[in-house]
Structure formats: structure tokens, C-alpha cells
Amino acid sequence: MNVTELRPGNYFKEDNNLYLVIDILLNKTAMRKMVAKVKVKNVRTGAITEMSANSGYQVETIRLEKKKMTYLYRNGDALVFMDGDTYEQIEIPESRLEWEIKFLKENQEVEMVTYEDEILGINLPSKVTLKITHCEPAVRGDTVNKATKEATLETGITVRVPLFIEEGEDVLVRTDTGLYDGRAN
């Protein structure tokens, strides 16, 4: 595919690296060929960079496989996932899922992302429901800031919640920012 035909959300392979297109800017001046400035994310490392290429430069587009998997448990320094159809179990090193592990509960369904049998990572839902295991009682009159307090959730992460939230309640947490998003129904 010509580099000028890339769109945000496309995946391509370049120098044995896999990239996700985040943004593209096409620049055409009177006397020069069109130049494409592509903001990309390296799918394996997560690094975001910008690439430039002239019109006519060809890139190899790829398709990533996505499969529903269930998170089972922690096995030492690895996380174990199971395919619900084949009952095949896959282990992923904990170090590759440092952000995602904050939102994983046992028996939670996630989307496993692979490319040619190489596991690239997992996609979480946009929000997850987690139980509050510890939070301080509300201090009356403490409304100088946004009237929030710190709460520890069942997976071990801490978030700021409104004062009316009690220990033992289920709350929604955004998986992209790690912030409180509301009470769970």
C-alpha cells in the first residue's frame, strides 16, 4: 500500500517492526512530491514515533488476529489465559502486561491480540467493575478540593473516589486512565 493511503487504525510492517497508525498528515508543496508524516505506535514496545516518507513509498499492511480469552490466574511471574473454545491455556509474562494487570480479575474475559502466532498483548474493555477493599471514612467538611478520598481496589490499585463511596462497594474504573468513572450497577 502507498504510504499516502494509510489511515488512523491501519497496521503495517516496516523493518521487522509492527506499527499502528495514530495520525497522518499529508503535505504537498508546489515543486515537491507529497510528503506523508505518519505518527505511529510500535505495537511490540508501545513507543510512539513519527515517520516521514515521500509519495510512492510502499508499506506492507498487516491484519492482527483478535480472540476472546479468559484470564484464569497468576502463575509465578506469568499470567495464564484460556481459550473458551479449545480450552488451550497461554501464559504471558507479567512484565508485558504491567498496565493491564491493574484491572484484571480472575475469570474476566479479555481480547488477546496476536500476529502470526506471536502474542502482542491484550485489549481490556473500556471500563471494568472492581470492588473497594479499603478506604478511609469521609471527613466531614473536607471539601476544599473535589471532595475525594483514596480507595484501594481488589486488584491492589488505588484510585480517588467521591466521599460518599463506601468500603465494599463496586465501582467502575476506566482502563485507559485508571480513574474512577462511577458506581457499578
Side-chain angles (χ1 to χ4, degrees):
M1 176 186 277
N2 191 325
V3 72
T4 59
E5 297 171 2
L6 289 173
R7 297 291 169 253
N10 289 148
Y11 290 91
F12 68 94
K13 190 175 183 179
E14 177 79 17
D15 296 331
N16 208 21
N17 285 314
L18 307 178
Y19 293 105
L20 165 66
V21 177
I22 297 171
D23 195 19
I24 184 165
L25 177 68
L26 302 175
N27 188 2
K28 171 82 172 108
T29 57
M31 299 293 284
R32 289 181 60 201
K33 279 185 170 179
M34 185 178 296
V35 176
K37 288 188 179 180
V38 187
K39 187 175 183 181
V40 295
K41 177 180 178 181
N42 186 317
V43 178
R44 290 184 178 122
T45 65
I48 295 176
T49 55
E50 198 167 279
M51 304 168 73
S52 294
N54 287 333
S55 172
Y57 185 77
Q58 298 292 316
V59 293
E60 177 187 349
T61 57
I62 59 171
R63 293 186 65 87
L64 299 182
E65 306 279 326
K66 295 178 181 175
K67 183 192 295 186
K68 294 279 184 204
M69 302 285 276
T70 304
Y71 169 62
L72 295 179
Y73 57 90
R74 220 181 220 156
N75 183 16
D77 61 348
L79 304 175
V80 180
F81 295 87
M82 181 181 71
D83 185 334
D85 298 330
T86 64
Y87 300 107
E88 173 191 7
Q89 293 187 4
I90 297 171
E91 287 190 8
I92 300 178
E94 196 175 297
S95 60
R96 295 203 34 211
L97 302 173
E98 286 179 3
W99 176 257
E100 293 88 344
I101 202 168
K102 298 175 185 179
F103 309 101
L104 282 175
K105 297 191 303 187
E106 289 183 2
N107 298 319
Q108 181 178 355
E109 197 168 271
V110 296
E111 196 175 58
M112 183 80 59
V113 181
T114 60
Y115 174 69
E116 295 180 348
D117 296 330
E118 175 190 356
I119 298 169
L120 299 173
I122 62 171
N123 289 337
L124 294 169
S126 60
K127 298 175 189 173
V128 293
T129 302
L130 297 172
K131 185 178 286 301
I132 296 179
T133 56
H134 176 75
C135 70
E136 299 297 322
V139 178
R140 195 176 170 133
D142 182 20
T143 56
V144 174
N145 296 328
K146 278 189 166 180
T148 61
K149 60 185 178 181
E150 204 164 88
T152 305
L153 304 179
E154 63 186 298
T155 58
I157 64 167
T158 57
V159 296
R160 304 286 305 173
V161 297
L163 293 177
F164 59 83
I165 300 291
E166 302 283 327
E167 191 170 305
E169 282 190 60
D170 288 337
V171 293
L172 290 173
V173 179
R174 292 177 53 100
T175 56
D176 57 347
T177 61
L179 299 175
Y180 166 84
D181 196 66
R183 275 185 168 154
N185 294 341

